[in-house]
Amino acid sequence: MPEVVIGLDTTADKIRALLREGYLRADVARFLDIRYQHVRKVAVDAGIDQGLQRGIVVLPASKPLPAVREETAIDMLIDAGFTLLGSWVVADAGIGLSTPAPKDPGVYAFVVDGAVKYIGLTKMGFARRMYSYSKPGSTQRTSQRINGIISEHSRAGVVVEIYIAVPPALEWNGLPIHTAAGLEAGLIDMIQPSWNKMGVS
């Protein structure tokens, strides 16, 4: 990366040069020590769509992914393929969805003011998992906790958006890989969303 930006004066010039060389937006932001949104804006303004995603990459154990600041996370997820499902709304019996959720399994994120607050995984499908948040059972402690947080925000007029992703299944040496589970774990480790932490609201 350093050789690509030699002789370039402005941050925007460096961003454009690095993206055209095939570097990911997240990598460019870390290298230049700037916010991901800055890289994204320069890329969009310049019409550069390189650097969005690169499939599955195996990192050496000595190079763990650095933590991402929470406020930058939603742009990264959108660029990687997450889509907006809708938002939580106040309903007669508590909370509900602004739009029906699909039955596909996958990974979801709850977002407030552009910041990822919670990352979750559903093997049973988004529709059933969101229902469990809106009407948690007596033994569903996580669903009860998140229901309380969402209800409190929604009643205060704060919009809690839901983004979803359905990563494709993979295999390794002929064995199945549940990519959604790995994606959820990786995102929680990278972003460390506040609602995923017990005792935090």
Side-chain angles (χ1 to χ4, degrees):
M1 280 188 170
E3 62 276 3
V4 175
V5 299
I6 290 175
L8 299 177
D9 296 325
T10 69
T11 300
D13 287 340
K14 293 175 183 177
I15 292 169
R16 286 188 288 267
L18 289 166
L19 290 176
R20 287 187 178 118
E21 285 293 315
Y23 290 102
L24 287 180
R25 293 180 182 184
D27 295 337
V28 172
R30 283 190 286 270
F31 174 70
L32 296 176
D33 195 26
I34 57 177
R35 292 177 55 146
Y36 181 88
Q37 286 96 326
H38 186 175
V39 176
R40 187 175 196 256
K41 182 178 185 328
V42 170
V44 170
D45 289 348
I48 301 171
D49 59 7
Q50 291 105 310
L52 287 177
Q53 47 191 301
R54 61 179 171 200
I56 301 295
V57 177
V58 178
L59 295 175
S62 61
K63 288 192 168 187
L65 285 172
V68 174
R69 292 188 298 268
E70 191 174 89
E71 68 272 11
T72 67
I74 189 53
D75 287 339
M76 292 178 69
L77 297 187
I78 291 170
D79 285 346
F82 274 73
T83 58
L84 177 64
L85 168 64
S87 61
W88 289 102
V89 295
V90 177
D92 293 337
I95 58 171
L97 297 177
S98 64
T99 185
K103 295 179 179 178
D104 306 289
V107 179
Y108 56 91
F110 296 156
V111 177
V112 176
D113 293 330
V116 173
K117 296 296 186 180
Y118 188 81
I119 295 286
L121 165 71
T122 176
K123 294 179 183 177
M124 65 183 91
F126 295 113
R128 284 183 61 190
R129 189 67 185 110
M130 296 307 120
Y131 179 84
S132 73
Y133 284 123
S134 63
K135 295 178 177 32
S138 59
T139 60
Q140 296 175 313
R141 297 181 69 166
T142 298
S143 294
Q144 290 175 356
R145 181 174 66 85
I146 298 301
N147 173 283
I149 295 170
I150 294 171
S151 297
E152 184 179 328
H153 280 72
S154 298
R155 280 193 234 100
V158 177
V159 176
V160 180
E161 295 177 316
I162 306 155
Y163 286 81
I164 61 174
V166 182
L170 298 175
E171 66 173 42
W172 176 75
N173 294 334
L175 302 174
I177 299 174
H178 192 265
T179 50
L183 178 60
E184 180 212 24
L187 288 176
I188 290 173
D189 188 51
M190 181 177 73
I191 300 170
Q192 298 180 14
S194 59
W195 295 359
N196 284 86
K197 301 170 186 174
M198 293 296 292
V200 179
S201 61

